[in-house]
Amino acid sequence: LVAFLEDHDEFAKLQSCGDVFAKLARVGAGKRNYAMDVVNASYPNNLLRNVARRAVGGHWMLVVDVDMVPSEGLREAFLALPRVVDEGTPGVLVVPAFEIRHTRRIPGTKTELLQLYQVGEIRPFYEELCPRCQAPTNYSHWLNLPVGGPLHVAYEVEWRDPWEPFYIGASSVPLYDERFKQYGFNRISQVATLVVVLVKGPNVVWGLGWWKSLI
């Protein structure tokens, strides 16, 4: 674990994917991946999440998986939110995420998203794989919020196990636990730590739209 932590700066300086995978092979040599029962974890999720966080800079960060696409204009709309002008705002702001059929074009507005949702072409993230992992997001409530208007915080919800929200938060939130190298508790371990250290305790602020005109 210490070996992984010591190489963050070097990882951030690598110029190509080939360089990254070669470095990972060297660092991971002889280490057993707890989840996949293989000697080499070619893509240690939490290590790479931490490398990305340290390379980004800035106060705010959007935490999503690599295969997710945020809505166009989300950054600008977020920075215009009155309550985040103060960088001391406690908590994190959760972004509701959806899965879409690969043959469909990604919707650009909430109206388009609702149309696809009504015909079963789009669904809440992890609805089939792990419904309870995203249940606290309360997609039913979110989908029924009025369409239009500027981005704003819609409501607050209390975190409960095993919620793994995607969120915008300060860069000072806890790093990911690099003992988790692939799937299984890799993201929720960080979220659980985050809940403990938040000024607001277990209350996680949420309500940011995945699409720019959702709320």
Side-chain angles (χ1 to χ4, degrees), residues 74 90 95 132 142 152:
L74 177 59
V95 180
R132 67 193 188 103
W142 184 86
H152 66 277

Side-chain angles (χ1 to χ4, degrees), residues 111-145:
T111 298
E112 294 178 5
L113 184 149
L114 289 173
Q115 291 172 347
L116 292 174
Y117 176 78
Q118 290 167 357
V119 297
E121 294 295 290
I122 201 169
R123 67 188 182 191
F125 183 75
Y126 265 24
E127 184 179 62
E128 289 193 2
L129 185 61
C130 184
R132 67 193 188 103
C133 294
Q134 297 297 319
T137 301
N138 197 347
Y139 280 95
S140 177
H141 179 65
W142 184 86
L143 287 165
N144 284 286
L145 291 171

Side-chain angles (χ1 to χ4, degrees), residues 41-51 176-178 180-184 186-187:
S42 62
Y43 195 93
N45 296 343
N46 282 358
L47 168 65
L48 295 181
R49 286 183 173 117
N50 288 340
V51 169
Y176 290 89
D177 189 333
E178 295 173 11
F180 300 103
K181 299 179 178 66
Q182 287 199 355
Y183 297 104
N186 55 322
R187 281 202 302 114

Side-chain angles (χ1 to χ4, degrees), residues 63-114:
V63 176
V64 292
D65 283 345
V66 68
D67 56 352
M68 290 184 166
V69 180
S71 64
E72 181 180 355
L74 177 59
R75 179 180 183 276
E76 292 76 11
F78 170 77
L79 293 176
L81 281 172
R83 72 176 297 168
V84 298
V85 172
D86 177 12
E87 294 189 346
T89 300
V92 297
L93 296 122
V94 172
V95 180
F98 293 85
E99 299 171 345
I100 188 171
R101 292 189 188 277
H102 72 280
T103 55
R104 288 290 189 173
R105 181 180 62 85
I106 295 176
T109 66
K110 183 176 182 179
T111 298
E112 294 178 5
L113 184 149
L114 289 173

